[in-house]
Amino acid sequence: MIYGTLAVTGLLVVWLFEACAPIREFMHWKPYEGAHHFSYPRPGFDPAKKTVVLVADNEGTEIFDLMAPYYLFHATGKANVYVVAEKKQPVIMRKGCFLLPHFSFAEFDSSGIRADVVVIPNLSAMDARHQSPVIIHWIQQHYTDSTVVLSVCDGALTAAATGIYDGKPLTTHASDYKAIRQQYSKPLWVNNTRITHSGNLFSTAGVSNATDGSLAVISALFGSATKAQVMEKIHFTPEQTAHQSIPVGFSHKLTIGRKVLFSKNKHIGVLLQNGANELELAAVLDTYNRTFPRSIESFVLTGNSITTGYGLVLLPTASLHQAHLNELHVLRPADMKGYAGDAEIVSYPQPGEQYIIDQCLHRIHEQYGKKYTAVVRLLLDYN
């Protein structure tokens, strides 16, 4: 009898361990282990344009926090837009690809280019103890009274550490607001808003609000007409500044647990294709990561990298020939030459008629229902 009970218990433990793999996978991202011999892109510089610099952390940078602003500022046609990182090495984009920065910090410093706008995404540090002093110092060195700073989501942790927001309004993701506020008391923390704005300092709530924050800066720098043109390109409907800052709570975690234990947890692939729209690609990866799939990886059909529409070089996290996928998400379905797999193709036909995050949430609702979709929205802070 006892051996039967132990056997059943053992099987249950093994089942639970395997079933909970998507939860372990959620906060795991691969280190870059490939070659380091790249021809790094160096976009041109137009002195007549504003210069926007997006700070990246080689050890981990939230993908939508960086790539959405990158696309949106480029889409104005009025900005030089660069990604800078401490090291001239691939940046781990969470989740999930690798990105080649345009400059290392040292290279940018020696370039003679002045940053008019500095964007601070959510970086790898989860608390004050693990922040990079090199990144903090670099931001401080490039800040002047005329520099526009945009803190995106949990980039607020780094922004607060610089001291730039002392006595100024600052917000962050609803689920991390309390923890970050406890670590840095000097900013004027604001809740239940998508965007804060004081002088040249802007900040946004969670991941999805990178769009709202970038558009606010675009309006301030280039005017409401340019903002409207960019919004039209992404089919983004203007919303109120007011925001429901609802943290993920116990009941939401139970909903995630039920989905993970009793629904099919898919192996999801996202195809990296030349000419990709950076905002759309990042939105698909970031939104579907929050469905807690069994795995989510990026792939290329040929070569070792792709170049996006506005010139970012991205590297995949896995090989398509070795993958066993349930779904392959494709932003440019007309360009699928060379794919012979049997995964379900999830396409996003161009031109779209709906904002990309709304497209993803609509499909997630069809797959997992209204209640689980509401949790995904909270994880994106899209309320």
Side-chain angles (χ1 to χ4, degrees):
M1 181 69 177
I2 189 170
Y3 294 111
T5 302
L6 288 173
V8 171
T9 302
L11 288 172
L12 180 61
V13 169
V14 170
W15 174 75
L16 283 172
F17 182 81
E18 286 299 316
C20 291
I23 294 175
R24 297 193 300 274
E25 175 71 14
F26 181 71
M27 288 301 292
H28 173 264
W29 39 89
K30 292 182 176 180
Y32 180 75
E33 296 177 341
H36 284 276
H37 304 292
F38 303 108
S39 177
Y40 281 81
R42 179 71 66 86
F45 173 72
D46 184 344
K49 295 181 177 180
K50 297 286 187 180
T51 295
V52 179
V53 174
L54 298 108
V55 178
D57 182 346
N58 294 98
E59 301 304 314
T61 304
E62 182 74 26
I63 187 169
F64 195 77
D65 288 9
L66 184 142
M67 287 174 58
Y70 182 87
Y71 171 86
L72 293 164
F73 283 109
H74 254 299
T76 66
K78 299 178 179 181
N80 306 298
V81 189
Y82 306 119
V83 178
V84 300
E86 179 183 354
K87 302 171 187 175
K88 197 67 172 289
Q89 297 175 7
V91 173
I92 300 170
M93 300 304 294
R94 306 190 312 235
K95 189 150 182 201
C97 62
F98 305 105
L99 174 151
L100 301 189
H102 300 111
F103 296 93
S104 68
F105 287 165
E107 286 175 334
F108 187 84
D109 291 347
S110 63
S111 70
I113 301 173
R114 175 185 172 274
D116 297 296
V117 181
V118 175
V119 180
I120 309 173
N122 179 19
L123 305 178
S124 66
M126 296 292 104
D127 56 49
R129 295 170 299 167
H130 298 100
Q131 292 239 54
S132 166
V134 174
I135 293 175
I136 292 168
H137 179 70
W138 191 87
I139 295 169
Q140 291 170 330
Q141 290 296 106
H142 285 267
Y143 175 71
T144 69
D145 289 343
S146 62
T147 308
V148 175
V149 180
L150 171 62
S151 167
V152 179
C153 187
D154 285 358
L157 187 73
T158 302
T162 66
I164 292 170
Y165 284 81
D166 288 358
K168 304 294 183 181
L170 184 61
T171 192
T172 190
H173 195 297
S175 293
D176 302 314
Y177 178 87
K178 182 178 179 181
I180 296 177
R181 182 180 182 181
Q182 287 175 342
Q183 295 177 76
Y184 294 100
S185 60
K186 292 183 179 179
L188 299 178
W189 290 99
V190 182
N191 214 358
N192 295 309
T193 185
R194 287 183 174 82
I195 311 161
T196 68
H197 176 204
S198 176
N200 290 332
L201 302 182
F202 296 77
S203 72
T204 79
V207 186
S208 61
N209 303 121
T211 299
D212 303 85
S214 300
L215 289 169
V217 175
I218 286 168
S219 182
L221 290 179
F222 307 122
S224 58
T226 298
K227 174 185 174 182
Q229 291 169 2
V230 173
M231 289 173 62
E232 185 176 358
K233 288 183 179 182
I234 62 172
H235 308 282
F236 186 73
T237 303
E239 296 180 321
Q240 298 294 321
T241 302
H243 173 64
Q244 292 181 302
S245 294
I246 305 171
V248 173
F250 181 72
S251 65
H252 307 119
K253 293 175 183 177
L254 285 178
T255 300
I256 293 170
R258 282 193 292 270
K259 181 268 175 189
V260 167
L261 291 175
F262 303 114
S263 295
K264 184 175 181 181
N265 299 307
K266 298 182 178 182
H267 293 276
I268 294 176
V270 178
L271 194 61
L272 306 181
Q273 297 169 288
N274 287 314
N277 177 306
E278 297 85 356
L279 181 147
E280 292 182 349
L281 178 61
V284 171
L285 280 162
D286 238 350
T287 302
Y288 272 90
N289 180 44
R290 285 162 173 78
T291 65
F292 289 85
R294 182 61 182 83
S295 66
I296 186 166
E297 303 277 6
S298 60
F299 304 92
V300 294
L301 286 176
T302 59
N304 299 313
S305 66
I306 63 100
T307 302
T308 65
Y310 285 126
L312 283 179
V313 176
L314 303 180
L315 313 174
T317 60
S319 168
L320 190 56
H321 302 295
Q322 299 172 355
H324 301 284
L325 299 174
N326 301 113
E327 296 178 355
L328 181 62
H329 293 243
V330 184
L331 285 164
R332 300 166 70 91
D335 185 17
M336 286 288 290
K337 185 178 180 180
Y339 178 67
D342 57 2
E344 177 189 353
I345 302 299
V346 180
S347 62
Y348 300 81
Q350 301 294 324
E353 296 180 353
Q354 187 180 28
Y355 182 52
I356 186 65
I357 291 180
D358 292 331
Q359 289 187 50
C360 293
L361 290 172
H362 176 75
R363 185 168 183 272
I364 290 167
H365 181 272
E366 292 181 337
Q367 288 177 302
Y368 302 114
K370 180 179 180 181
K371 189 172 184 179
Y372 190 76
T373 305
V375 173
V376 176
R377 293 179 71 96
L378 291 182
L379 291 165
L380 292 167
D381 217 8
Y382 192 54
N383 302 294

